[in-house]
Amino acid sequence: MKEMRLSMRLVAILLAACVLATGAAFVVTVYVNGTRWINRANNTRLADAKKTTVQGSIYDAAGLELAGSSAPGERHYLSDTAARRALSHTLGDQTNMSATGVENFHASTLLGITRTRTDYTLQRLVGYDPVGSSLALTVDAELTKELASLLPPDKNGAAVIINYRTGAILAMASKPDFDPADMGAEVKDTAYYNRVLQMRYAPGSTFKIITLTAALETLPGVDEEMFNCAGVWNYGDHSLKCAGNAVHGNLTLSQAFTRSCNITFGSLAYRLGAKTLKDTAERFGFNFNFAFNDLMLYESWCLRKSAGAGDLIQAGFGQGTTQVTPLHMAMIAGAIANGGAMMEPQLISKVYSPAGAVVKTLEPAVFRQCTDAETAETVARYMYQTVKNGTASRAAISGYTDGYVCGKTGSAEWSNNKDDATHAWYAGFLYGDDAHPYAIAVVVEKGGSGGSVAAPIAAKALKKAIERNVY
């Protein structure tokens, strides 16, 4: 009998534990995905609310109204067409074509969906249309307009500038774009796709930031070694050549990074091994299901599955199965600038009640510590040398003396056809300038060389950000 009672108690305890675990999992899931669920395009409650609610306004960081409503079912946008199109992916639209835009991702706030039924009924009884909450964004409209104008008009691509101390997104632009004020107009294919948040690209040599970090952390004395690049490296049944058939000869690690030697970084990845390189990449956010409160960011990938030597070596310089979004690449660069601390990206700076009271303000949060401050400082120094006298020299900002421009270029292959132009990449930041803690990522699809195409875009964009003094 005692044994039976003991067994029954154990069963009861196990059942209680299962119930608690299920409940906890449900709470966590709702907390993480609640915003995504309630703002889904097929949520009929949202469609009904738009017919009866005056939607809240959306403002940029300088207080400029980007979108507003004067009556239920009505929505107006700023009159500057170029700025409106540049901000289209940030704002979103009223027809739910752009799932990641503020109009869509934060629809429940703008429509006051979370208000109580009593509040809603009282507003209707006194003769007022219900009013949603308003949002102030971290982005600057003028800077976003400039950023979009710098992307080549005949190419698809994306660019984003963040404050690496707070995580605030200061500007992001994606091409092709659309006009949220004219959703009936014909648009280019994938125009509603926000490439900053949703497009995964091979990062090319910008990924050498990760490989370099892993090498500095785990290979004692590696920064004092000499490497040799004979232009080709044979491993197993495969061979690796440096870009443009370059022969770099004898190199220090710093020189290999500055001159972007694929053979050096492919061999480093091989020495590190898949586990070490993958673990380092995952500390920087790869293979992680991002679930941020302010925005929807697609997952980046690195060595997700068991990797052979070929994929491991390719990963060392950002090729093979390695994929990253532009925002994530800016976050990686920003983490290096920020002593190894990667901040959670933020898009909403303030939430206003219908009466105009501030009910929420941006609170910077560390997403994760990617590496230690000493390693981050060494990587930053290598990136400075890359801009000073390496492949990223065209990222230098004329007349800038308040800090240092640091960066890394990439020319990422995306096709097996070697005649196809590579995607042009740049990822970097301003260092030692407390007034302008900016990190940037630029990618131009089929743009060619990152050094000649993406780096100059970054220089002009950061110069504009400095002039605007955005923060």
Side-chain angles (χ1 to χ4, degrees):
M1 184 63 73
K2 288 182 179 179
E3 290 180 357
M4 183 178 293
R5 289 199 191 99
L6 180 60
S7 297
M8 291 175 68
R9 285 196 187 112
L10 287 173
V11 170
I13 290 170
L14 287 172
L15 285 173
C18 289
V19 170
L20 287 172
T22 303
F26 177 76
V27 169
V28 170
T29 301
V30 169
Y31 177 77
V32 171
N33 295 309
T35 299
R36 301 186 184 195
W37 288 346
I38 197 169
N39 293 320
R40 289 180 64 177
N42 60 0
N43 185 344
T44 56
R45 190 178 174 191
L46 290 179
D48 292 341
K50 287 181 180 180
K51 299 174 185 177
T52 58
T53 301
V54 179
Q55 294 183 70
S57 295
I58 303 173
Y59 302 94
D60 84 336
L64 176 67
E65 186 182 62
L66 307 178
S69 298
S70 55
E74 181 271 338
R75 198 63 163 165
H76 55 262
Y77 299 90
L78 68 172
S79 59
D80 185 334
T81 303
R84 192 170 66 240
R85 294 188 72 98
L87 287 154
S88 59
H89 297 95
T90 301
L91 286 175
D93 65 280
Q94 289 292 296
T95 60
N96 294 308
M97 293 299 292
S98 175
T100 61
V102 172
E103 294 269 48
N104 313 94
F105 196 72
H106 293 278
S108 59
T109 300
L110 293 167
L111 290 165
I113 292 293
T114 55
R115 74 164 67 87
T116 66
R117 176 57 61 178
T118 301
D119 290 340
Y120 178 85
T121 303
L122 285 173
Q123 284 181 305
R124 298 311 300 266
L125 285 174
V126 297
Y128 292 109
D129 289 317
V131 179
S133 297
S134 294
L135 302 173
L137 308 185
T138 58
V139 301
D140 180 85
E142 187 64 28
L143 179 60
T144 303
K145 178 181 174 181
E146 177 73 9
L147 188 62
S149 73
L150 293 171
L151 293 171
D154 60 337
K155 302 284 187 184
N156 295 343
V160 56
I161 302 174
I162 64 172
N163 180 323
Y164 58 73
R165 294 272 170 76
T166 66
I169 297 174
L170 306 177
M172 62 176 165
S174 176
K175 293 288 185 175
D177 55 28
F178 62 96
D179 189 346
D182 185 10
M183 293 302 290
E186 185 177 349
V187 299
K188 292 183 180 179
D189 187 35
T190 72
Y192 299 118
Y193 205 71
N194 186 346
R195 284 167 158 76
V196 173
L197 307 178
Q198 297 176 279
M199 192 69 178
R200 302 180 183 97
Y201 300 93
S205 291
T206 60
F207 188 83
K208 289 172 184 172
I209 295 169
I210 306 291
T211 309
L212 175 62
T213 300
L216 291 170
E217 289 177 337
T218 60
L219 301 176
V222 70
D223 55 334
E224 298 175 358
E225 288 185 31
M226 291 298 296
F227 300 85
N228 180 266
C229 170
V232 61
W233 175 44
N234 296 308
Y235 58 95
D237 297 329
H238 305 279
S239 64
L240 172 64
K241 293 182 179 181
C242 265
N245 295 316
V247 179
H248 294 113
N250 292 324
L251 299 159
T252 64
L253 183 59
S254 175
Q255 290 171 331
F257 186 85
T258 299
R259 298 171 67 181
S260 204
C261 177
N262 287 347
I263 288 176
T264 297
F265 278 84
S267 64
L268 277 173
Y270 187 74
R271 284 172 61 186
L272 290 165
K275 183 180 186 308
T276 296
L277 186 59
K278 181 181 178 182
D279 286 349
T280 305
E282 289 182 345
R283 275 191 277 117
F284 278 87
F286 282 84
N287 306 329
F288 183 79
N289 181 23
F290 298 115
F292 299 122
N293 290 327
D294 282 8
L295 50 86
M296 182 189 298
L297 177 62
Y298 281 24
E299 179 183 355
S300 296
W301 301 327
C302 178
L303 301 174
R304 290 188 303 164
K305 300 177 180 179
S306 178
D311 195 29
L312 170 60
I313 290 166
Q314 290 282 316
F317 51 95
Q319 292 289 170
T321 59
T322 306
Q323 301 271 288
V324 68
T325 62
L327 176 57
H328 188 197
M329 200 68 240
M331 291 162 61
I332 291 168
I336 296 299
N338 199 35
M342 181 181 286
M343 305 303 291
E344 180 176 323
Q346 309 266 7
L347 187 57
I348 309 299
S349 64
K350 290 184 178 67
V351 179
Y352 298 95
S353 72
V358 176
V359 296
K360 183 181 178 182
T361 57
L362 181 150
E363 295 182 6
V366 175
F367 170 55
R368 60 181 53 181
Q369 188 72 31
C370 304
T371 188
D372 61 85
E374 183 179 357
T375 302
E377 184 178 2
T378 302
V379 176
R381 187 171 68 249
Y382 281 29
M383 293 175 73
Y384 167 67
Q385 291 296 331
T386 304
V387 174
K388 185 179 180 182
N389 52 27
T391 60
S393 60
R394 294 185 67 180
I397 302 172
S398 176
Y400 177 67
T401 59
D402 293 336
Y404 305 95
V405 181
C406 306
K408 185 71 191 77
T409 57
S411 303
E413 294 182 357
W414 58 277
S415 166
N416 290 326
N417 185 350
K418 298 298 181 181
D419 292 331
D420 288 331
T422 56
H423 294 334
W425 267 103
Y426 177 84
F429 49 85
L430 303 183
Y431 198 59
D433 184 353
D434 290 339
H436 307 111
Y438 304 149
I440 188 170
V442 177
V443 60
V444 178
E445 295 179 20
K446 306 178 188 178
S449 165
S452 61
V453 176
I457 292 173
K460 293 173 184 176
L462 289 175
K463 186 174 183 179
K464 181 68 174 181
I466 294 168
E467 292 171 356
R468 291 286 296 168
N469 201 32
V470 295
Y471 201 86

